[in-house]
Amino acid sequence: MIGDRLFGAAKGDEPADLLLRGARIVDVILGEIRQGDLAVAGGYIVGFGARKAEEIIDLKGKYLVPGLIDAHVHIESSQLSPAEFARAVLPHGTTCVIADPHEIANVLGLRGIRYMLRATESLPLRVFFMAPSCVPSSPLENAGATLSAEEIKEVLSWDRVLGLGEVMNFPGVLSRDPEVWAKLEAAHGKPIDGHAPGLSGYELWAYRLAGPRTEHECTLLREAREKLRAGMHILIREGTTARNLSALIPLLSAHTAPFVHFCTDDRHPETLHTEGHMDDVLRKAIAGGTDPLVAIAAATIHAARAYGLVDLGALAPGFRADFLVVSDLEQFEVERVYVGGELVAEGGRCLAECPDIPAGDVRGTVDVDTGALSFRIPAEGKKARVIGVVPGQVVTEGLILEPKEVGGEVVADPERDILKLAVVERHRGTGNVGLGLVRGFGLKRGALGSTVAHDSHNIVVVGTNDGDMRLAVARLVELGGGQVVIADGKVLAELPLPLGGLMSDLPLEEVVRRSGGLKKASRSLGCVLPDPFMQLSFLALPVIPKLKLTDLGLVDVERFELTSLFVE
C-alpha cells in the first residue's frame, strides 16, 4: 500500500520532492512525446504536475526518458565487481539489469550467487537475478559446482530472483531429462530464459512449450522471426564479441516491440568505457532506422513487462522514478540519470555511492598443480579437427586440417595459424587437461591464458609453444585468476581477476588500462582478433556450435558429445 505522503503528493495536498518542468516526456504507453511536467515523491512518480515542490528543475524542452533496462547480462563478464559495474553503466542511462549469475555459480555454486545478491543489495542500480539453470552448462566438462533442481527451487525463493536463467541444455529439454525438467517445473509460472541457437521446427515448438520464453542467441533474422512466431521474446544482443543488432534490427517495429527487447549479455570493460552500455545499443538501433519511440519502448516498458517488473519502465503515476534527461533522442547522449528520484549520474560521471562489500568468500578459486601439466599431443593421424574462430561471433567452425608433426608429436604451426589450445580444470585439482587445435588468432609467438572460459571457467590457454603455455597457467595460479600474455618465458601483460577468477577488485579505469595492455601485447605477438580474450573465453563453451574444447576434450556441439581430435 502507498503511504499518506505519496498519496497526498499525488492529490496535490502535499509538496512533491521534485518537480521537473518544461520537459518533453517520452510516453512509452501512448507512444508519443508531449510537453509537460513530472512530479516525484518518495521515489515514485506521483503525477504530471504539483502545486508545491521541495525542488523545481526547468528542463527547458529536454527529453525525459524512462530508465533503460538490460534484459540479459552477466555482470561477471564485465570483469568488474558489482559495485564498479554499477558505476560504469549508470552514467549511460542503464537503471535496471536482469542479471544471470551463472558465471560465478559455475565456480562457487550457491556461495557465488549469495555474494552477487549481497554485493548488489545497496547499489543505486536496480539488479534482479535469474536462477542459473545450467551449472554446469553440460555434462561434457567439469565446473566448480553443480546446482540441483532442489537448490534452484531454493534460489527461486530469494528476493530479487525473478525466474530461471537461460536453459542452455536444450538437448536435455528435448530428451525430457528428469533433472532439467525438474528445474523447469520449479520455475513454473515464472519467467524462463531460453538459449537454443539454431533450434527450429518441431524441436523449437517443443522447447517453447516446455517453458523457455526468451531467446538472445539469434544471429540470423530468419531464425529470430521463426522464434518470434513461436511466441518467444527476442532479446537483440549487442555485446563485445556477439554483435547481432545490425542483423536483427529489422525485426523491431511498433507491432513487435512488446516481444523484442535489448540485451548486452557479455560486455568487456573497454567496450563499456569507450562505447557505453544500453545508450550505445539504442543509438545503434535508432541509427539503423528504428523509430526512437519504438526503440525506447522496447528497452523500457516492454522489457519490464517481460520480466514481471510492473512498476518499472514508464513515466506515469505509480512507477518508480527512474528516468534520464536527454537533449537529442537520435544521438541519445545521456545528460542526467535519476533512480528513485535521486540524481545518480551526470555528464558521464556516476555521482551516487556504490559500496563494495568484503569479498573474501569468492577468492582463492584456482587449484592447479602446475608441475604436473603437459600439453603434449601424440600424433595419431594425418588429419585433425581444428576449431575455426569466427571473428565477432561465439559460434565456431569445425575444420579438418593436416597438423604439423615433429618427432611423433603435433606442434603449433604459426605459419599456417594452427595453434595449440588447452583447457585446464582449475576448481577441484583433478589434473584434467583438454587439448586441441585452433585457427584464427594469428599468433606468431607466445601464449594467451585466462581463467574466464564460459561457462565452467576453467583455465583456457592458446599458444605457439608449450613452455609459454605452461608459464601462462602458472602465472594465473599465482594471481588467483586473471588474464595474461606471455612470450619467450616472460609476462608481457596481465589483469588480475581474484573475485571468482572472473572479476577484478580494481576501478573501471585501471581495468580498462590493463585490458588495453593485454590487447596491445597480443597484437605485438601477431594476434589479429580485436578482442582475443573475449573470443578465447567462448572456445570452451560446449553449448554453442560447432566445435569447442573442455577439460574433458574436444566437443562436437551439434552432436552434443565428445569427439576425437584426429579424423579416422
Side-chain angles (χ1 to χ4, degrees):
M1 295 291 291
I2 64 169
D4 292 342
R5 170 81 176 82
L6 263 66
F7 192 68
K11 284 186 67 182
D13 298 336
E14 299 282 342
D17 296 333
L18 174 65
L19 179 63
L20 297 155
R21 279 185 172 162
R24 283 190 276 185
I25 298 171
V26 177
D27 188 331
V28 293
I29 297 173
L30 286 176
E32 67 179 19
I33 298 171
R34 66 175 184 275
Q35 196 81 17
D37 303 340
L38 197 72
V40 174
Y44 286 84
I45 296 167
V46 294
F48 301 114
R51 294 190 179 98
K52 294 181 181 179
E54 301 293 338
E55 181 182 6
I56 299 174
I57 298 175
D58 188 350
L59 290 184
K60 298 178 180 178
K62 292 182 179 180
Y63 295 93
L64 276 181
V65 178
L68 307 179
I69 299 173
D70 188 338
H72 175 75
V73 64
H74 304 289
I75 293 174
E76 305 97 305
S77 293
S78 72
Q79 299 181 329
L80 303 170
S81 69
E84 202 62 30
F85 175 80
R87 293 188 193 102
V89 303
L90 281 168
H92 295 286
T94 304
T95 58
C96 174
V97 300
I98 315 298
D100 186 337
H102 79 206
E103 315 297 356
I104 199 165
N106 270 282
V107 178
L108 291 163
L110 294 182
R111 179 154 50 110
I113 301 172
R114 288 191 182 101
Y115 165 75
M116 296 300 285
L117 281 161
R118 291 198 312 275
T120 55
E121 188 174 13
S122 300
L123 297 178
L125 178 71
R126 299 193 194 278
V127 183
F128 297 92
F129 290 95
M130 304 293 280
S133 69
C134 296
V135 178
S137 65
S138 84
L140 303 174
E141 58 190 333
N142 282 302
T146 299
L147 290 184
S148 68
E150 281 302 309
E151 288 171 313
I152 290 297
K153 189 174 182 180
E154 178 187 348
V155 175
L156 287 166
S157 72
W158 295 349
D159 288 344
R160 290 190 288 128
V161 177
L162 303 178
L164 190 64
E166 51 185 315
V167 182
M168 295 180 285
N169 188 1
F170 61 85
V173 175
L174 298 175
S175 65
R176 295 192 72 98
D177 179 278
E179 184 69 10
V180 175
W181 274 74
K183 293 175 182 178
L184 292 170
E185 286 296 322
H188 181 71
K190 297 177 181 288
I192 300 176
D193 280 333
H195 175 120
L199 209 61
S200 178
Y202 290 99
E203 291 183 332
L204 171 62
W205 308 336
Y207 180 75
R208 171 64 189 94
L209 195 65
R213 71 181 193 192
T214 74
E215 175 62 285
H216 63 275
E217 289 293 338
C218 296
T219 58
L220 300 174
L221 184 60
R222 65 175 181 270
E223 177 186 2
R225 287 190 185 279
E226 182 182 6
K227 288 178 174 174
L228 187 64
R229 190 180 300 118
M232 300 188 84
H233 289 245
I234 304 302
L235 312 183
I236 296 178
R237 174 176 55 189
E238 189 71 4
T240 290
T241 295
R243 295 177 180 256
N244 310 127
L245 189 143
S246 61
L248 301 185
I249 199 62
L251 188 72
L252 179 57
S253 67
H255 189 75
T256 63
F259 305 97
V260 178
H261 322 299
F262 298 108
C263 76
T264 60
D265 198 5
D266 300 289
R267 272 213 169 194
H268 254 191
E270 280 191 288
T271 311
L272 291 173
H273 188 64
T274 59
E275 297 181 34
H277 194 235
M278 293 305 294
D279 58 335
D280 171 58
V281 179
L282 274 185
R283 273 193 295 273
K284 289 175 178 174
I286 293 166
T290 305
D291 184 315
L293 277 169
V294 172
I296 291 168
T300 56
I301 186 65
H302 298 315
R305 286 181 170 181
Y307 288 93
L309 301 172
V310 297
D311 59 356
L312 296 180
L315 303 180
F319 283 80
R320 301 273 184 174
D322 301 350
F323 49 82
L324 328 173
V325 177
V326 178
S327 292
D328 184 298
L329 291 185
E330 294 194 359
Q331 298 301 316
F332 215 87
E333 295 293 337
V334 178
E335 296 186 6
R336 275 177 268 167
V337 182
Y338 291 79
V339 175
E342 299 291 330
L343 181 64
V344 297
E346 185 173 16
R349 293 187 308 111
C350 184
L351 305 178
E353 184 177 349
C354 298
D356 268 310
I357 67 167
D361 56 344
V362 297
R363 295 176 184 267
T365 62
V366 184
D367 181 10
V368 176
D369 179 3
T370 55
L373 279 180
S374 172
F375 299 123
R376 180 176 175 269
I377 303 177
E380 298 177 358
K382 292 297 184 182
K383 298 281 188 177
R385 293 180 173 88
V386 178
I387 298 172
V389 170
V390 180
Q393 298 295 337
V394 296
V395 297
T396 63
E397 295 177 318
L399 308 175
I400 305 295
L401 301 172
E402 185 173 338
K404 183 177 181 179
E405 179 185 333
V406 176
E409 292 185 22
V410 170
V411 297
D413 187 357
E415 293 303 314
R416 294 167 58 215
D417 190 20
I418 302 175
L419 306 179
K420 274 191 178 181
L421 183 70
V423 175
V424 181
E425 195 280 323
R426 68 142 162 135
H427 307 291
R428 306 170 187 271
T430 63
N432 285 356
V433 180
L435 294 171
L437 300 168
V438 64
R439 187 176 199 176
F441 278 84
L443 287 178
K444 300 302 182 185
R445 60 191 181 97
L448 315 178
S450 175
T451 54
V452 179
H454 302 285
D455 279 326
S456 289
H457 298 293
N458 289 305
I459 292 174
V460 60
V461 56
V462 61
T464 62
N465 66 87
D466 292 7
D468 283 341
M469 291 175 73
R470 278 194 295 269
L471 179 56
V473 175
R475 184 55 183 158
L476 291 171
V477 173
E478 292 173 356
L479 292 173
Q483 296 177 328
V484 295
V485 178
I486 306 292
D488 305 320
K490 296 179 181 179
V491 178
L492 301 188
E494 64 184 25
L495 170 62
L497 301 172
L499 308 183
L502 303 171
M503 296 173 284
S504 175
D505 53 4
L506 299 172
L508 169 66
E509 292 76 15
E510 179 63 13
V511 175
V512 169
R513 187 185 73 78
R514 292 189 180 226
S515 182
L518 290 170
K519 291 180 182 178
K520 182 178 180 181
S522 300
R523 287 194 297 271
S524 76
L525 302 181
C527 187
V528 296
L529 296 173
D531 196 331
F533 283 92
M534 181 65 92
Q535 205 88 49
L536 184 64
S537 72
F538 284 107
L539 295 185
L541 180 56
V543 294
I544 300 286
K546 291 182 178 178
L547 198 60
K548 296 295 171 74
L549 183 69
T550 76
D551 68 304
L552 298 182
L554 203 60
V555 178
D556 181 333
V557 182
E558 293 179 325
R559 298 176 65 181
F560 209 60
E561 64 183 21
L562 293 169
T563 189
S564 62
L565 176 60
F566 294 94
V567 180
E568 295 180 0

